[in-house]
Amino acid sequence: MPQARMTNPALVLPDALKALQALDAATKAAGVSVRTLELMHLRASQINGCGVCVDMHPKLARKAGETDERLFAVGAWRDTPYFTPAERAALALTEAVTRLSDRADPVPDEVWNEAAEHYDEAQLASLVLSIASINVWNRLNVSVKQVAGASWA
């Protein structure tokens, strides 16, 4: 069985874990649906190759009422009919913010403006902070080779 290089850094530094949990709580308080946030977390985690989060976020999404059909399609969201315009805007923003170094204009106005059509300023703040947060978790897990399904303790 694969082994992690070390305990997850957020567990090594408990104050860091508290800060990440507080950030997560703040993003959820802005009124974006938990299902949308979980779809975003899954998509960013797929891009970043974070096995822990690709394993965890569909489970959390199911608990929030998400369907397998949509979870299986999130990687190809542009080519499926399962997502609302608001969810598509959130997923496009997720991809842009996650892939900052992939293009000269990392978060193009068209992506931002589409999200702004569906979300108010507090919700946009929630989306951006949520994307940043999942990218932090992805980077922690990938860096230490955290094993999907394994206990962090």
Side-chain angles (χ1 to χ4, degrees), residues 2-152:
Q3 287 188 317
R5 290 178 167 150
M6 67 177 280
T7 303
N8 186 290
L11 295 179
V12 173
L13 302 175
D15 287 343
L17 179 61
K18 290 177 191 172
L20 291 168
Q21 290 172 330
L23 180 58
D24 182 58
T27 62
K28 288 180 179 171
V32 177
S33 82
V34 172
R35 288 174 56 183
T36 298
L37 294 173
E38 290 300 338
L39 291 171
M40 293 166 54
H41 292 174
L42 175 57
R43 185 64 192 124
S45 300
Q46 290 171 335
I47 292 166
N48 290 324
C50 180
V52 171
C53 291
V54 168
D55 179 61
M56 178 186 353
H57 287 286
K59 293 173 185 173
L60 295 173
R62 279 189 198 104
K63 286 182 183 177
E66 194 51 80
T67 66
D68 283 343
E69 183 175 59
R70 287 166 36 100
L71 290 170
F72 297 152
V74 77
W77 61 269
R78 287 178 179 84
D79 301 318
T80 64
Y82 308 128
F83 304 98
T84 68
E87 290 166 337
R88 290 175 183 282
L91 289 166
L93 185 62
T94 299
E95 289 183 358
V97 173
T98 298
R99 293 180 163 148
L100 290 176
S101 65
D102 287 358
R103 55 182 155 194
D105 184 12
V107 183
D109 288 342
E110 66 190 39
V111 170
W112 182 265
N113 292 341
E114 182 65 24
E117 285 185 28
H118 299 281
Y119 299 99
D120 65 26
E121 187 172 36
Q123 292 169 328
L124 285 169
S126 172
L127 295 178
V128 172
L129 287 166
S130 186
I131 296 163
S133 176
I134 192 60
N135 275 277
V136 167
W137 282 109
N138 291 165
R139 280 149 179 76
L140 293 173
N141 290 324
V142 170
S143 295
V144 302
K145 295 188 175 188
Q146 188 69 45
V147 178
S151 171
W152 282 7

